[in-house]
Amino acid sequence: MKKKRVIVIGGGISGMEAATHLASMGYDVTLLEKDKELGGHLLGWEKLFPTMRMGKDVVEFLNKGITLSKVNVIRKAEIVNAVKTGEIFTVTLANGNKFESDAVIMATGYDLFDARKKEEYGYGIYDNVITSADLEEKFLSGKPILTSKGNVPKKIALVHCVGSRDEKVGNVYCSKVCCVTAVKQSIELKESIPGVDVYCLYMDLRMFGMHFETLYKEAQEKHAVNFIRGRLSEACENQDSSIIVKVEDTLAGKPLRMTVDMLVLMVGMVPSAGTVKVGKMLGLKFGPNGFLKSMDQHTMGTITNIPGVFIAGTCAAPRPINNVFVDARAAAITASSYLEGYDIEKRISYS
Amino acid sequence: MKVEGKQAIWKEYQKDIAGDKYFYVRSCVRQNFFPGSETTFLRIMREELGKDIYEHPCHTTCTGIGYHGDVVPLDTMMTVVARQFALMTEAGYQNLVPSCITSFGIYTEVLDTWHHFPEVEAKVREYLRKATGREFKIPQNLAHASDLIYKFRKEIAQNAKFKLVDKETGKPLKVVDHIGCHYSKMFPEKGVGGAEYPYVLAGMIEDWGGEVIDYPERRHCCGFGFRQYLVQANRGYSVACSHKKFESMEPYKPDMILTNCPGCPMFLDKWQYAIAEMEGKTYGKDGYGIPVLTYEELAGMVLGYDPWDLGLQVHQVSCEPLLDRIGIKYDPLKKYNDKNGVSLGVPEKPSVMKVS
Amino acid sequence: MKDFGFTINKDRQIDMDTADMRVAEYVKTHEPSFNICIACGTCTATCSAGIFTDMNLRKLFTLVKRGEIANTRTEIAKCMLCGKCSLACPRGVNTRNVIVKINQALIKFSL
């Protein structure tokens, strides 16, 4: 009997893990990745919360899965068309190559929120305003963390919820990973710059994951990171290109100003351009926040409105890496049961 | 600071500004505060740019001051605004140009309210009909007078006799721009350049040869706030706002402040005197204050109009040091004369701030 | 100097650039658990002083950390050192000792 075929779209964590599992179950799996390398956003991240293990270890684990289970990987794949005809999916690339399959896994991920949209924070204008991703790039480079003028920063503030929980930019949801990323990066800043003062400007600290709270306490206890509850209202640049931040210290009940040498914006997740593009081509439904919609929030995660299309990872919602792994494996299972003729929709008795 | 970042934002906030045939409505207070400004604006529009700009003798206040000062109710304000629209419609114009930022804010807010709540517009039409028998059309284009000067800034630059440049050093003058709060804070998309990095005045400064100074408290209100200034007991809070701005801009040594609101230049100018009297501190060079100009005065200045025709003699902070730096000639003896050359009397000198 | 019938209002912003952090630093050094407070308010809810006076232990800790110490002496004088706050704290902050350390710092720096 001919092997059933699956196309996995997106070669980040969720796509790689889902592809690995489907291939190991015996399916003929093609993984389409737009970049020249697999790994997605993880490639730009040095250490991972909450354990501080290296991101590249996880990439290696994922790559090994792809190699061992013999996934057919197509890199630099730009999708120009994706359709379902009868029971068969056809995905066409810009170079004219066509791929057919019996199921599709959407693993198209997220884009980082474009911090320039928060005009009042001055990203792209003030020299010493950077994003969490920019900071991660600096960590990854191994070079010392310096201000735009090449000085060692004495005071750094990290702004939570940039592009998240913000109606003004159209994103009402929590991106889940930024709070703990801020705590992680605070600790790393404290470790790499002796004597630096670090301030986290937050609305709520959402330490939901196992060990996140421990990391937070470690930041307070071991590293004396300062936490100020209040959302940044605006940043301004001084003559010496240091940054003035204005927040309300909501616990003190007073407005607060502070000059910092560097301001780090914890940018949230938005549905990736690829998620929107390919999702539309396949006729998938989008939720109110613009991410791909699963058929039911409790019972039908990974399952979409198009039979045979399954969603994995952050194209469905912001998620930390451990959840993405679980989600990718769940998508592989639901895709497999679909390919074996199991109809999960039979179980639905509610409307 | 990366100017490309600002330019990207400026591109996002490009508003539609009509090219000709304007219905001009004056400010209640500017003719007292800065008596040459509106006249200069009309002169530039008509004589330099050859535009059709019409003023109706029967137009009134928009009631913005009373509305924001809690003495004029919303329905009354909207009906008065409707009457201005009716005068414009009757005169055959469609492009409304208010001189005042508060009025600009009021008109913008009323139009937005009617857009979202057509039943309110219907009600106001009924009020106006009952009160005056008038009908009106919604303006096709609403632009603040500073938007017009912004739109024609390059034409003005071409006709300019002077540049915002120090004639001794050849260096551009450092200019602080201060935008009236109601220009774009309520409706960022209605202001040239948006609300965080407005470009309306910055564009004039750039094109007329100056250098724009961005300082930390640039976005802070001048402190007028209507009720806040109008009640004497609240003035400490009002002056504290301007004080905060002066303290913040001081290290940049600005040569002048450019404004587009009736209240801001008034307060930024006069509070410098009050602060000097209260605290002994001045912010300009050699014990002078920092000159505060309206955009019309500045446009008239670069076009080479007589400074006393622009009304610079009624400023609290002396403008002469600025005129000298640019190389603009003026007759000090005529400073306090009226149009017929008769002396209006010379004001008393302040005890701290130096004046010319 | 002229009297206009009003003066320039003082800024009520907390200015972290000029804040007096001596008390905060002293307490952090001598009672490090001061750092791990999460400002949950459990202490304040159970505080004997807080119920009968306007003392607010949670807020007092925050203010000390921001260098806002003008009223600290009067505020901590309301504390009866009963220790209920330490008992209640879910984070294990030695709140009772924090108060003692704040008091010591105020004396040390003649504040």
Side-chain angles (χ1 to χ4, degrees), chain B residues 19-20 22 24 26 30 36-53 145-161 204 208 258 293-306 309-310:
Chain B
D20 201 355
Y22 310 103
Y24 185 54
R26 292 207 183 213
R30 296 189 76 212
S37 289
E38 291 181 338
T39 311
T40 302
F41 174 72
L42 291 172
R43 181 174 162 195
I44 293 171
M45 292 307 289
R46 287 175 181 147
E47 293 174 21
E48 304 285 338
L49 303 164
K51 302 293 174 190
D52 172 3
I53 184 156
S146 64
D147 291 333
L148 263 56
I149 296 291
Y150 166 80
K151 186 180 173 80
F152 299 116
R153 69 196 185 284
K154 288 184 196 297
E155 286 85 335
I156 291 170
Q158 275 169 10
N159 295 352
K161 306 275 184 298
M204 297 177 201
W208 299 342
L258 181 62
L293 271 73
T294 69
Y295 56 94
E296 299 105 322
E297 288 169 346
L298 188 70
M301 218 171 82
V302 299
L303 286 167
Y305 295 0
D306 186 318
D309 286 348
L310 297 173

Side-chain angles (χ1 to χ4, degrees), chain A residues 154-183:
Chain A
K154 294 190 185 73
K155 253 186 187 181
I156 301 176
L158 289 82
V159 186
H160 292 228
C161 296
V162 176
S164 306
R165 306 176 72 197
D166 188 348
E167 298 248 2
K168 214 178 129 185
V169 297
N171 301 338
V172 296
Y173 53 87
C174 164
S175 288
K176 278 181 116 172
V177 298
C178 331
C179 275
V180 63
T181 298
V183 170

Side-chain angles (χ1 to χ4, degrees), chain C residues 52-96:
Chain C
F52 296 105
T53 73
D54 56 5
M55 177 173 174
N56 182 323
L57 196 56
R58 190 268 306 154
K59 194 167 179 180
L60 183 72
F61 282 13
T62 309
L63 290 170
V64 166
K65 283 179 180 168
R66 307 290 175 254
E68 298 275 298
I69 47 174
N71 301 320
T72 310
R73 181 176 279 276
T74 350
E75 286 307 301
I76 57 163
K78 295 167 188 165
C79 168
M80 299 192 272
L81 286 174
C82 72
K84 188 69 200 297
C85 50
S86 303
L87 181 70
C89 178
R91 196 82 162 169
V93 179
N94 190 343
T95 47
R96 192 166 177 271

Side-chain angles (χ1 to χ4, degrees), chain B residues 20-242:
Chain B
D20 201 355
K21 301 196 187 311
Y22 310 103
F23 186 82
Y24 185 54
V25 279
R26 292 207 183 213
S27 149
C28 301
V29 295
R30 296 189 76 212
Q31 289 162 87
N32 293 321
F33 292 176
F34 299 94
S37 289
E38 291 181 338
T39 311
T40 302
F41 174 72
L42 291 172
R43 181 174 162 195
I44 293 171
M45 292 307 289
R46 287 175 181 147
E47 293 174 21
E48 304 285 338
L49 303 164
K51 302 293 174 190
D52 172 3
I53 184 156
Y54 180 77
E55 266 197 287
H56 201 295
C58 300
H59 94 68
T60 64
T61 172
C62 72
T63 73
I65 286 191
Y67 172 63
H68 290 299
D70 286 354
V71 293
V72 173
L74 177 65
D75 283 356
T76 310
M77 179 270 272
M78 288 193 293
T79 311
V80 173
V81 165
R83 184 178 169 277
Q84 317 280 61
F85 291 167
L87 296 179
M88 181 185 73
T89 309
E90 288 162 19
Y93 287 82
Q94 292 176 318
N95 304 321
L96 186 68
V97 180
S99 158
C100 170
I101 287 288
T102 297
S103 293
F104 177 71
I106 287 276
Y107 292 128
T108 310
E109 203 172 359
V110 166
L111 290 173
D112 194 69
T113 304
W114 291 354
H115 175 73
H116 292 288
F117 304 96
E119 69 279 10
V120 176
E121 182 187 334
K123 186 178 75 180
V124 173
R125 283 186 182 276
E126 184 60 23
Y127 291 158
L128 185 70
R129 207 173 291 127
K130 280 184 180 159
T132 67
R134 293 178 194 269
E135 299 288 344
F136 66 91
K137 280 189 192 142
I138 298 282
Q140 215 166 58
N141 187 268
L142 172 63
H144 183 250
S146 64
D147 291 333
L148 263 56
I149 296 291
Y150 166 80
K151 186 180 173 80
F152 299 116
R153 69 196 185 284
K154 288 184 196 297
E155 286 85 335
I156 291 170
Q158 275 169 10
N159 295 352
K161 306 275 184 298
F162 300 98
K163 281 193 145 199
L164 300 177
V165 168
D166 186 314
K167 74 171 164 79
E168 297 296 328
T169 64
K171 284 190 180 150
L173 297 183
K174 292 182 190 166
V175 186
V176 156
D177 65 325
H178 178 81
I179 308 291
C181 290
H182 291 181
Y183 175 69
S184 59
K185 280 180 185 158
M186 297 186 295
F187 297 91
E189 68 284 3
K190 303 289 184 202
V192 173
E196 299 294 348
Y197 309 92
Y199 190 56
V200 62
L201 297 180
M204 297 177 201
I205 297 164
E206 278 179 7
D207 274 295
W208 299 342
E211 180 195 342
V212 184
I213 297 299
D214 193 348
Y215 64 107
E217 294 295 350
R218 174 178 50 79
R219 297 165 177 133
H220 205 286
C221 171
C222 73
F224 180 14
F226 306 95
R227 264 173 304 152
Q228 283 63 37
Y229 174 74
L230 298 172
V231 179
Q232 191 195 25
N234 295 337
R235 283 182 198 161
Y237 153 37
S238 179
V239 67
C241 291
S242 289

Side-chain angles (χ1 to χ4, degrees), chain A residues 126 149 236-244 257, chain B residues 1 6 172-177 211-218 244-257 283-285 290 325:
Chain A
Y126 304 145
K149 289 192 172 153
C236 323
E237 194 181 70
N238 268 319
Q239 227 172 356
D240 62 358
S241 73
S242 60
I243 303 293
I244 296 180
R257 77 188 285 284
Chain B
M1 199 161 322
K6 284 189 182 177
L173 297 183
K174 292 182 190 166
V175 186
V176 156
D177 65 325
E211 180 195 342
V212 184
I213 297 299
D214 193 348
Y215 64 107
E217 294 295 350
R218 174 178 50 79
K244 196 178 191 59
K245 292 182 73 74
F246 295 136
E247 290 289 321
S248 177
M249 70 175 79
E250 188 186 19
Y252 295 80
K253 299 189 171 61
D255 294 304
M256 61 168 282
I257 301 168
Y283 293 92
K285 246 189 176 173
I290 308 168
R325 287 196 67 188

